[in-house]
Amino acid sequence: TRCVRPSLSDEAAAKQAAVEKIDCDSTGRARAAGPEFSREAAWLGRCVGLALPRLALREESALLIAMQSRLFASRRQIVASAGSALGTASSSAAATTATPMPAPAPLPDDGLSAEELRAIKVFQDSCDSVVFVTRAVASAPAWLGAPTSLFDQPGTAAGSGSGFVWDEHGHIVTNHHVVKGATELTVTTGSQEVLTASVVGIDADRDIAVLRVHTKTPLRALPLGSSGTLRVGQRTLAIGCPFGLDFTLTTGVVSGLGRDMLGRTGRPITGCIQTDAALNPGSSGGPLLDSSGRVIGVNTAIMTTSGSSAGVGMSIPVDAVRLAVDQIIARGFVLHPSIGVRMAPDHFVQHQLGVRGVLVVEVQPGSGADHAGLRRTSHLRNGRIVLGDLIVTLNGKEVKNSLDLFKAMDGAQIGDAVELELATLADDGAGKLREKSRRKATVKINGLASKL
C-alpha cells in the first residue's frame, strides 16, 4: 500500500525529492530510505500507524506543515483510513464514535453571575407589586405652644412605610404600626400612581393591617410562598422604601427560624423569620421574598441599638399573615383564641412581687375565665390590694410569664378547653408573698376580636 503524500510547493517538492517512497509490509511496519524525519514527523506518522524516519531539521518545515494540515483537519478520519490500509480494522469491528466535547457555557449578560441575574429578575418582576405607604396623623395645634416655623402646618404629621399588593381586588398588606392613628393614607404604586387608601382591618397582635385602594389600572399581586418549609441559609430578598427611598432591594439569607418577638400590644409574635437582609426605618410592611420571588414574610422590625440595620431583621411568617389577612378580608377583624383575662406586666410580677407566673388583673365578663371562676386583682376601700389568681401551668406546661402562656396556647382553637393550675398568693407577714393554696380550673377558649 502506497502512502499518498500531500502536495507541496515547488520549493518544498525539491526537498521532498530526497525522500524515497515509503512502503508498508504485511506487518504494518514502514520501510523507508533517505534522510531522517524529525520527531514531529515521527509523531505524526504514529497517528496513522507508521514509523517515519527523521528528516534533517532544515528540511522538515514544509513537510510538517503539509502533513499537519492534512492530519489535523480530520484526525478521526485519517486514523480510520490508515487502520484500514494497514489491515488493522476488520469488517466485524464496531465503528468507533468520538464523544463530543461539551460546548462552553455562554457568558451571562454583561458578565453578571447567574445569581445576580436571578435577583435582578425577581426585583423587576416584583417591583410593580410593592407600594410606598404614607400616613398623616392628627397633631396638637401650633397655637397651644410657642410660636413655630411658618412652614409648620398644625394638625398634620407624616410617616411612611412599605406594603405590597395582596390580590387583584386592591387589597394592600402592610404593618399595623405603619398605619396606626392615621387620619389619611396614601399609597404610591410602582408606576408612580398615588392612590387614597382606607383601612379594611387590622391584627394588632401580629402587627398586620389590610388596606384597600381603588384604581382603574389592574394591580398584580405577589405570589405567596410558605414559611413552613424554610431552611436556614436560603436566599432572601427584601423590597421596601427605607428612609423614604422608594423601591429599594436588599438581599441576604434566612439566618434564623422560630424566633419569638414581643409585639406592640404586649403579646408575642411567635415563629418569626430572622434575616440579615438590611431592614431600616421605612422597610416595615414590605415583603420578604425567596429566590423565586414568592412572599415568605412581612418585614416588621429590626434588632438594633442605633436605629438602623445591624444585620438582624425580623419578618412575620407568611403562613401566619395569610390566616390574619383572610379573616380581615372576610369579616373586617381577626379572632384570636383567648381565655378572657388581662394580665399584669411580667416585669411587675417578677421584680415587684417576686413570683413567677401570670397574674390575672381583670376577667372579661362572659368569657371562659369568668365562667370558670377566675379571680381578678381588686382594690379595697381601705386601699389594700387583693391579688388575683396566679396562673402557673396550662395543660401541664409550666407558665413563668405571659410568653409561656401564649406559647402553651399555640394550636388551641376557639371552643377548645384548657386546664389551668392557679395559685392564691398571701402576705407572709414579713412583707413577702407566698403561695397560700393551689387549685385547678377548666377554661373554655373564646375568640378575642382585634379591631380598629
Side-chain angles (χ1 to χ4, degrees):
T1 303
R2 187 176 301 276
C3 296
V4 180
R5 303 176 188 273
S7 62
L8 303 176
S9 64
D10 293 339
E11 181 180 357
K15 295 180 180 180
Q16 184 181 356
V19 182
E20 295 185 3
K21 64 182 179 180
I22 301 173
D23 295 328
C24 298
D25 62 12
S26 60
T27 62
R29 300 293 296 172
R31 296 193 303 270
E36 291 184 346
F37 280 68
S38 67
R39 292 180 181 178
E40 288 81 359
W43 179 83
L44 291 170
R46 285 195 296 273
C47 292
V48 294
L50 302 177
L52 299 180
R54 183 172 183 176
L55 280 172
L57 291 177
R58 66 178 179 273
E59 299 175 347
E60 69 180 348
S61 299
L63 182 59
L64 282 175
I65 293 172
M67 293 184 72
Q68 286 174 339
S69 65
R70 183 178 180 87
L71 290 173
F72 287 116
S74 181
R75 180 180 295 182
R76 176 168 164 263
Q77 290 81 350
I78 292 177
V79 171
S81 62
S84 175
L86 296 174
T88 57
S90 63
S91 59
S92 61
T96 60
T97 57
T99 304
M101 294 295 292
L107 290 176
D109 296 344
D110 301 325
L112 300 177
S113 68
E115 184 176 1
E116 289 175 315
L117 290 173
R118 189 168 190 173
I120 292 171
K121 184 178 186 304
V122 169
F123 177 75
Q124 291 175 342
D125 292 346
S126 305
C127 199
D128 286 343
S129 300
V130 179
V131 301
F132 180 41
V133 181
T134 306
R135 77 175 187 268
V137 298
S139 62
W143 54 266
L144 288 178
T148 57
S149 167
L150 293 175
F151 298 101
D152 191 16
Q153 297 297 320
T156 61
S160 65
S162 308
F164 61 95
V165 179
W166 183 263
D167 57 30
E168 65 277 9
H169 303 298
H171 290 112
I172 306 294
V173 171
T174 184
N175 283 145
H176 172 236
H177 74 264
V178 170
V179 303
K180 184 178 180 181
T183 56
E184 182 181 347
L185 287 168
T186 58
V187 166
T188 305
T189 66
S191 60
Q192 299 302 312
E193 185 179 8
V194 180
L195 305 170
T196 300
S198 59
V199 180
V200 178
I202 64 167
D203 182 354
D205 289 337
R206 291 194 183 99
D207 199 16
I208 294 294
V210 178
L211 312 181
R212 181 77 182 272
V213 296
H214 298 279
T215 176
K216 296 180 180 179
T217 305
L219 297 177
R220 186 172 62 87
L222 285 177
L224 301 181
S226 174
S227 52
T229 57
L230 296 178
R231 291 181 291 179
V232 172
Q234 74 177 77
R235 180 64 60 187
T236 59
L237 300 93
I239 304 177
C241 308
F243 303 111
L245 302 173
D246 56 347
F247 312 115
T248 299
L249 171 69
T250 58
T251 63
V253 297
V254 174
S255 51
L257 292 169
R259 305 302 193 202
D260 296 329
M261 180 181 66
L262 189 63
R264 296 172 185 265
T265 63
R267 184 169 185 157
I269 305 173
T270 60
C272 289
I273 304 166
Q274 178 184 325
T275 180
D276 65 350
L279 303 179
N280 286 288
S283 298
S284 294
L288 185 69
L289 308 175
D290 63 12
S291 58
S292 297
R294 297 170 298 192
V295 179
I296 57 175
V298 176
N299 301 320
T300 189
I302 54 177
M303 300 184 70
T304 178
T305 57
S306 64
S308 59
S309 176
V312 182
M314 292 295 175
S315 185
I316 306 167
V318 71
D319 292 347
V321 174
R322 185 186 285 111
L323 290 175
V325 172
D326 287 348
Q327 291 187 62
I328 291 172
I329 293 176
R331 57 186 176 215
F333 58 89
V334 175
L335 286 176
H336 287 288
S338 172
I339 59 176
V341 299
R342 188 167 72 88
M343 302 165 288
D346 289 331
H347 65 85
F348 173 79
V349 176
Q350 295 174 6
H351 299 294
Q352 299 295 323
L353 302 182
V355 296
R356 290 185 176 182
V358 172
L359 179 65
V360 176
V361 175
E362 292 183 0
V363 176
Q364 185 179 10
S367 65
D370 188 24
H371 291 302
L374 269 67
R375 295 191 289 260
R376 66 181 181 89
T377 299
S378 58
H379 292 260
L380 301 181
R381 289 186 177 181
N382 59 6
R384 183 184 176 191
I385 298 176
V386 178
L387 297 178
D389 288 322
L390 185 72
I391 302 173
V392 292
T393 68
L394 187 148
N395 287 341
K397 297 180 180 179
E398 184 180 10
V399 174
K400 298 186 294 292
N401 49 43
S402 59
L403 178 61
D404 289 342
L405 179 64
F406 289 121
K407 293 178 73 172
M409 289 181 62
D410 277 351
Q413 303 296 321
I414 296 174
D416 291 348
V418 295
E419 185 177 68
L420 302 178
E421 187 172 8
L422 308 168
T424 301
L425 300 175
D427 192 340
D428 64 357
K432 294 183 179 180
L433 295 175
R434 61 178 178 83
E435 285 190 15
K436 181 179 179 181
S437 61
R438 286 196 179 192
R439 74 182 194 280
K440 292 185 178 181
T442 301
V443 179
K444 185 178 180 180
I445 295 178
N446 303 114
L448 178 64
S450 182
K451 298 183 179 180
L452 287 172

